[in-house]
Amino acid sequence: MKKAEMMDEYFNSYGKEISSSEICHVVDLIFKINLDEAPILSKEKEKADGISSSTGREAIDSHLNQYDSEITGAEVRKIINEIFGVNLEAISSLEGARISLYSKGQWIVQHEKDLFVVYTGESDIDVKVLPTQYFTEQTGLVELPTDLQHALTSIGYYFDEKNDSYYFSNPTGEAVPDAFKGKTIGAILGVIQHSFSNL
């Protein structure tokens, strides 16, 4: 069962009004993501009328107050993405994909035999992609395979010698959009399936 489905099961069995505390607990339990430490996106901060003391839980409660009936897991995931830029649907789909993901200052997905790492910087403005130690041990390659280098370059990445990785920084200074993250993951998945599914 995927993590998003586990989350749905949990909320379906919960059966009463859900609070931000319950949501934070479930996200931590299933996804191992601490929302209390995740930064709130700037547009959500603006919605809070510039109250800098507004916490993630207060932002979640504010969204929950807009629902009259019981809220679904899918709606909760949408709220979390809007507030924190944490796309739980996409994270859930990474299960078994062999891609590690570091975001919001914490490991979101990481397994011993993952082949590549997608590492997002503070506020998700920039992204770098690099091979894992396991990949290097298995292939002898210390850099990304050529077909992945080409795929990433075609969507805007370039090789950053300082970080020894393929790197992209959003020129607008805003968080990298989900569509771009999707293209990045898609490029990596394509190369894994084509060339490294046997590792």
Side-chain angles (χ1 to χ4, degrees):
M1 185 184 284
K2 287 195 170 172
K3 289 181 176 179
E5 293 167 352
M6 288 166 66
M7 186 179 185
D8 291 344
E9 289 284 315
Y10 189 94
F11 286 139
N12 290 343
S13 67
Y14 200 68
K16 60 177 181 169
E17 234 176 77
I18 296 165
S19 69
S20 58
S21 296
E22 203 53 45
I23 288 171
C24 290
H25 169 71
V26 171
V27 170
D28 196 14
L29 184 74
I30 296 173
F31 291 89
K32 305 286 184 266
I33 298 171
N34 185 344
L35 291 178
D36 290 320
E37 291 179 6
I40 301 171
L41 295 181
S42 56
K43 63 183 175 197
E44 284 297 323
K45 282 185 180 160
E46 287 164 21
K47 271 191 205 169
D49 297 324
I51 306 166
S52 59
S53 63
S54 177
T55 66
R57 291 185 185 220
E58 288 167 346
I60 293 170
D61 282 331
S62 167
H63 277 266
L64 291 176
N65 290 338
Q66 296 166 27
Y67 286 85
D68 296 331
S69 57
E70 284 183 15
I71 191 166
T72 65
E75 288 165 331
V76 169
R77 289 190 290 279
K78 186 170 178 261
I79 288 171
I80 289 167
N81 198 17
E82 282 175 21
I83 296 171
F84 304 101
V86 174
N87 187 335
L88 295 177
E89 294 286 356
I91 292 164
S92 179
S93 71
L94 280 181
E95 280 302 302
R98 309 199 55 203
I99 300 170
S100 293
L101 176 62
Y102 185 89
S103 183
K104 312 287 186 262
Q106 53 194 313
W107 285 105
I108 307 293
V109 179
Q110 186 184 34
H111 300 99
E112 193 183 340
K113 293 187 177 179
D114 286 345
L115 302 175
F116 302 102
V117 179
V118 176
Y119 192 105
T120 65
E122 199 174 325
S123 304
D124 275 2
I125 293 165
D126 59 341
V127 189
K128 61 183 177 183
V129 180
L130 52 158
T132 63
Q133 188 175 340
Y134 176 80
F135 178 83
T136 299
E137 287 166 3
Q138 295 298 309
T139 64
L141 295 170
V142 292
E143 55 188 34
L144 295 178
T146 310
D147 47 353
L148 183 52
Q149 292 178 24
H150 292 313
L152 293 174
T153 303
S154 73
I155 58 172
Y157 283 82
Y158 66 91
F159 184 71
D160 180 22
E161 289 183 18
K162 189 176 72 172
N163 291 309
D164 202 23
S165 62
Y166 270 75
Y167 181 80
F168 174 83
S169 181
N170 195 348
T172 65
E174 296 171 325
V176 174
D178 282 347
F180 184 83
K181 291 176 189 170
K183 283 182 185 175
T184 300
I185 298 297
I188 298 169
L189 284 174
V191 169
I192 290 174
Q193 287 161 2
H194 187 260
S195 307
F196 301 103
S197 58
N198 59 326
L199 291 185

